Amino acid sequence: MKNTILYLFIFSLLINIFQYVNSNKILDAKEQQILNSKKYLKISRDSLKSFSENNSFDLKNNDYAQEYFYNKGMDYNKIIEKVNNDINALNANKAGNPLIPYDMIDGKAFLVSRIKMVNHRWVIAEFSNGKIWGEVLLKYFIVGDKPTEFETIDTVLFEATL
């Protein structure tokens, strides 16, 4: 009988040690999982903050530029659409978009591919001829129902990477 109680005691002690070690491993794994989640959450928050900062130079987020159009009795959403359409209409020119001061390279004309309206006066546009890329800063003027008037302020042309 003594031996049975001794064996049971040793057996229960071993089970308790196993439970303790196993529980510690589970707790450590969960703690590591929480630390990883906090790290990824911080990265996500930082990227969202960066994203929101990058959108600060946008007519859709610029209250002062929107107020400018409101005071003139214009809807800034319609202005955005009009300016986009007018710039894209200039892409129909066979020699390339006239807002881009570069001649054709390798027989390919430069066309505007992306447009971002900064405020009530400036537009940044990305252009390309399929091989070479660049950006142009434009000043624009809305004159009633006439096509938008544009003035090229400056351009930058990136070197071909291929």
Side-chain angles (χ1 to χ4, degrees):
M1 185 76 165
K2 270 186 171 178
N3 285 343
T4 309
I5 294 175
L6 182 64
Y7 289 134
L8 286 174
F9 177 74
I10 292 173
F11 180 71
S12 65
L13 182 67
L14 288 174
I15 287 179
N16 283 335
I17 291 172
F18 172 76
Q19 287 280 353
Y20 176 77
V21 170
N22 193 31
S23 299
N24 279 344
K25 284 183 180 180
I26 291 172
L27 287 174
D28 289 343
K30 291 294 181 185
E31 189 174 323
Q32 186 62 38
Q33 191 177 20
I34 289 170
L35 290 175
N36 287 342
S37 296
K38 285 182 179 179
K39 183 176 90 173
Y40 290 126
L41 182 62
K42 183 182 181 327
I43 291 170
S44 299
R45 284 183 180 155
D46 290 345
S47 67
L48 282 174
K49 182 180 176 186
S50 171
F51 179 73
S52 67
E53 288 172 357
N54 287 338
N55 279 337
S56 60
F57 291 104
D58 189 355
L59 179 58
K60 292 179 182 177
N61 299 325
N62 188 331
D63 293 334
Y64 299 114
Q66 291 174 11
E67 186 72 23
Y68 172 84
F69 288 122
Y70 177 76
N71 289 338
K72 295 202 175 273
M74 300 178 186
D75 179 15
Y76 73 92
N77 288 312
K78 290 181 181 176
I79 299 297
I80 292 172
E81 186 179 334
K82 178 178 175 17
V83 170
N84 280 326
N85 290 339
D86 289 345
I87 290 175
N88 286 325
L90 293 173
N91 280 342
N93 190 338
K94 291 184 183 192
N97 194 311
L99 299 173
I100 303 164
Y102 300 109
D103 294 330
M104 287 196 247
I105 296 178
D106 296 333
K108 295 180 181 176
F110 285 100
L111 302 174
V112 172
S113 57
R114 240 180 0 152
I115 302 162
K116 181 171 182 174
M117 297 190 61
V118 178
N119 56 30
H120 66 287
R121 191 57 60 215
W122 297 333
V123 173
I124 296 176
E126 181 181 74
F127 62 88
S128 169
N129 73 347
K131 211 172 189 182
I132 300 174
W133 297 86
E135 295 171 350
V136 60
L137 179 63
L138 303 168
K139 193 181 244 188
Y140 70 95
F141 305 95
I142 304 294
V143 185
D145 291 337
K146 296 180 185 176
T148 309
E149 295 178 13
F150 295 100
E151 177 185 327
T152 301
I153 297 175
D154 202 1
T155 61
V156 63
L157 196 61
F158 301 110
E159 294 181 21
T161 56
L162 297 176

